């Protein structure tokens, strides 16, 4: 019961009831116990202001240009779960604009409760004085890993380029035009997490492959997307 009270108090604070409280009372009768939790919410705390701060002017413009989609709105109750969701939203937003190595670990919140709740969203720089880097695709490869031919024991595949994507697939099994309609990542474009996920979903919807994997190679000063299917 004491532990339950602690969890209730923590929950009240997490959703903006900073002065909220919880207690419990016990009544016994004929070897039965009646346990009652008494919860006092008190006045909720609302978001008075949300500001964004980063040393990267491009990232700042990306975030401030998308504030209409922010999960943090002035006038709303303070809610720690929304803070966590907003951290994920910012991560996806920045990744959709070319920042392949960006992650939510760079997003921090400073909270001031002296006059309402003021939230300062901080985007930290990478360690060792580095800057967040935009990645542009140099190359996109599509490879189908086929089972060896039953007659020859060899893998039958051709390598060709279609719409700037390098395909290594069987010319008898797959239409490059159909595959191209499903691929949403191309050389010369910035990395985009959403387009990567959409490419995987579109290929899954073809119902032609048992296995689909998309990874990115950053070695040798190049940024290469590799799409593997089986």
């Amino acid at each position: 019961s004491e532990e339950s009270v602690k969890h209730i108090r923590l929950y009240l604070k997490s959703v903006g009831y900073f002065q909220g409280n919880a207690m419990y009372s016990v009544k016994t009768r004929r070897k039965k116990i009646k346990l009652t939790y008494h919860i006092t919410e008190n006045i909720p705390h609302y978001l008075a202001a949300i500001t964004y701060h980063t040393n990267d002017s491009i990232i700042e413009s990306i975030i401030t240009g998308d504030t209409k989609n922010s999960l943090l709105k002035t006038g709303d109750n303070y809610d720690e779960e929304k803070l966590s969701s907003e951290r994920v939203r910012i991560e996806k937003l920045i990744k959709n604009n070319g920042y392949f190595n960006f992650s939510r670990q760079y997003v921090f919140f400073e909270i001031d409760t002296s006059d309402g709740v003021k939230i300062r969203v901080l985007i930290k720089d990478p360690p060792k004085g580095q800057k967040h880097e935009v990645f542009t695709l140099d190359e996109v490869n599509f490879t189908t890993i086929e089972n060896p031919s039953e007659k020859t024991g060899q893998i039958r595949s051709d390598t060709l380029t279609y719409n700037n994507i390098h395909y290594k697939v069987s010319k008898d099994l797959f239409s490059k035009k159909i595959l191209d309609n499903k691929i949403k990542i191309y050389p010369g474009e910035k990395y985009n997490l959403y387009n990567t996920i959409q490419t995987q979903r579109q290929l899954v919807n073809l119902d032609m492959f048992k296995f689909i994997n998309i990874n990115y190679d950053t070695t040798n000063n190049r940024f290469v997307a590799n799409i593997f299917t089986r």
Side-chain angles (χ1 to χ4, degrees):
S1 298
E2 292 288 350
E3 285 298 311
S4 295
V5 163
K6 288 179 183 177
H7 285 294
I8 293 171
R9 289 171 180 167
L10 287 173
Y11 175 75
L12 288 171
K13 288 180 172 59
S14 75
V15 292
Y17 295 94
F18 298 153
Q19 281 77 47
N21 196 16
M23 302 174 67
Y24 73 93
S25 62
V26 178
K27 290 184 179 179
T28 58
R29 185 182 180 186
R30 296 177 182 175
K31 295 185 179 181
K32 291 185 179 180
I33 294 175
K34 181 180 179 181
L35 181 65
T36 304
Y37 290 96
H38 307 274
I39 299 171
T40 306
E41 295 175 342
N42 288 316
I43 300 173
H45 282 64
Y46 300 100
L47 300 186
I50 302 105
T51 56
Y52 299 86
H53 299 269
T54 173
N55 293 325
D56 191 312
S57 59
I58 297 176
I59 288 180
E60 183 177 5
S61 65
I62 291 170
I63 294 175
T64 55
D66 195 59
T67 51
K68 65 179 181 180
N69 292 316
S70 174
L71 302 177
L72 306 178
K73 307 289 185 184
T74 55
D76 285 356
N77 263 38
Y78 172 84
D79 190 331
E80 289 181 0
E81 188 172 333
K82 280 190 177 181
L83 292 182
S84 297
S85 298
E86 176 69 357
R87 180 179 278 113
V88 174
R89 187 195 71 85
I90 290 174
E91 177 189 30
K92 290 180 179 179
L93 173 65
I94 296 177
K95 278 181 172 288
N96 286 340
N97 282 272
Y99 292 85
F100 174 68
N101 284 331
F102 190 86
S103 72
R104 69 195 72 174
Q105 71 180 13
Y106 296 114
V107 183
F108 293 85
F109 298 103
E110 287 185 352
I111 299 170
D112 179 3
T113 60
S114 58
D115 182 19
V117 180
K118 297 176 182 178
I119 296 180
R120 193 168 183 253
V121 185
L122 303 175
I123 310 298
K124 296 292 185 69
D125 289 332
K128 300 179 181 178
Q130 298 177 358
K131 300 287 287 183
H132 294 292
E133 182 181 357
V134 174
F135 285 75
T136 301
L137 280 164
D138 295 299
E139 186 177 325
V140 178
N141 301 310
F142 185 104
T143 303
T144 294
I145 306 169
E146 301 177 53
N147 292 324
S149 168
E150 292 182 1
K151 293 183 179 180
T152 64
Q154 297 177 348
I155 296 176
R156 300 174 293 104
S157 62
D158 297 307
T159 301
L160 58 87
T161 301
Y162 184 92
N163 203 8
N164 294 321
I165 297 177
H166 303 306
Y167 289 89
K168 187 176 182 181
V169 298
S170 170
K171 63 180 180 181
D172 301 323
L173 295 178
F174 307 110
S175 164
K176 314 305 178 296
K177 185 175 181 180
I178 291 176
L179 292 176
D180 184 69
N181 286 334
K182 304 301 179 183
I183 295 174
K184 308 301 178 185
I185 51 179
Y186 290 93
E189 294 183 351
K190 293 179 183 178
Y191 168 76
N192 187 300
L193 174 63
Y194 176 79
N195 288 345
T196 302
I197 294 171
Q198 284 299 106
T199 296
Q200 188 148 18
R201 286 177 177 170
Q202 292 290 327
L203 292 173
V204 167
N205 290 339
L206 283 175
D207 201 23
M208 296 168 61
F209 308 106
K210 295 181 179 179
F211 166 84
I212 299 166
N213 176 261
I214 302 175
N215 65 50
Y216 290 89
D217 186 354
T218 60
T219 58
N220 299 322
N221 242 2
R222 287 170 57 78
F223 188 53
V224 178
N226 293 302
I227 306 171
F228 295 100
T229 64
R230 184 189 293 276

